Amino acid sequence: MFAAENGLKGDPRLQGISEAIRVVPHFPKPGIMFQDITTLLLDHKAFKDTVDIFVDRYRDMDISVVAGVEARGFMFGPAIALAIGAKFVPLRKPRKLPGKVISEAYELEYGTDCLEMHVGAVKPGERAIVIDDLVATGGTLSAAIRLLERSEAEVVECACVIGLREVKGQLRIAVNYRSLSMKMLRHRLT
């Protein structure tokens, strides 16, 4: 669900957030319109507004875990977790976490990858949200959900700053996880 369809229609913060995200054509390969959030991070107001919108949404939802997907989920997740009184759990690429981990492989449009999480980072019954910068095909978010569910967490929602309407990754999440909703602040501008 996009923010404008979720009670934020007309919210002036959305325009500032959208304008702060740079689109880089043909990166990292021809045909890709890369959504560069580093420019959002350079804009204090837009960055704060992004975090505030998520905090407003999750503050009263009894969330105990904010799981951030490497690497750009790490930029938003800790601030949101601190503000809502939850713990931050990093979901990392292989061999980045010391100690015992559980892993979940997933397919990308151009290959496969894997996410890992520390064993014991999430307890059974904890309510979790997954944070990332963008949802495209939904493969990464699906792997994140599976990791958390293997630890018996209740995944309440996935939250992304950007959703690509034309790729329909949010539809993949909805079909595979019917009770789970998506929260995205902006859709890609062409």
Side-chain angles (χ1 to χ4, degrees):
M1 175 182 313
F2 290 89
E5 299 159 354
N6 192 33
L8 291 174
K9 187 174 183 122
D11 189 319
R13 298 176 295 180
L14 296 178
Q15 183 67 30
I17 291 166
S18 187
E19 290 171 358
I21 298 169
R22 174 175 61 170
V23 178
V24 181
H26 309 295
F27 181 82
K29 63 183 187 176
I32 301 292
M33 299 294 285
F34 186 79
Q35 307 294 303
D36 182 13
I37 61 151
T38 62
T39 51
L40 171 70
L41 301 173
L42 295 172
D43 183 329
H44 175 265
K45 181 173 179 358
F47 184 31
K48 182 179 184 322
D49 286 346
T50 301
V51 172
D52 287 349
I53 287 170
F54 286 125
V55 169
D56 291 346
R57 176 154 181 89
Y58 300 118
R59 178 179 287 122
D60 297 321
M61 291 178 68
D62 196 31
I63 303 298
S64 54
V65 175
V66 175
V69 177
E70 186 171 343
R72 291 177 292 262
F74 294 2
M75 296 175 190
F76 301 99
I80 295 165
L82 283 172
I84 68 172
K87 62 184 171 184
F88 177 74
V89 175
L91 304 179
R92 304 234 30 209
K93 301 294 178 157
R95 298 172 299 283
K96 301 282 186 170
L97 292 171
K100 192 171 181 181
V101 297
I102 58 173
S103 302
E104 190 67 44
Y106 60 99
E107 291 188 25
L108 300 164
E109 59 225 289
Y110 48 83
T112 61
D113 211 339
C114 182
L115 286 177
E116 294 183 341
M117 178 178 73
H118 275 127
V119 170
V122 176
K123 307 290 184 234
E126 287 191 302
R127 290 173 50 85
I129 57 172
V130 178
I131 302 287
D132 204 357
D133 69 324
L134 179 138
V135 59
T137 65
T140 306
L141 291 176
S142 294
I145 293 165
R146 289 191 304 271
L147 265 180
L148 292 162
E149 287 180 343
R150 285 173 52 198
S151 295
E152 299 180 39
E154 176 190 352
V155 181
V156 174
E157 197 165 84
C158 291
C160 296
V161 178
I162 304 164
L164 304 181
R165 286 184 190 270
E166 63 276 12
V167 179
K168 308 257 189 257
Q170 60 272 19
L171 181 60
R172 177 180 178 180
I173 302 294
V175 167
N176 293 327
Y177 305 95
R178 293 193 190 284
S179 65
L180 188 68
S181 63
M182 298 285 299
K183 171 73 169 181
M184 292 161 285
L185 298 188
R186 90 185 262 282
H187 62 86
R188 183 177 88 181
L189 303 175
T190 54

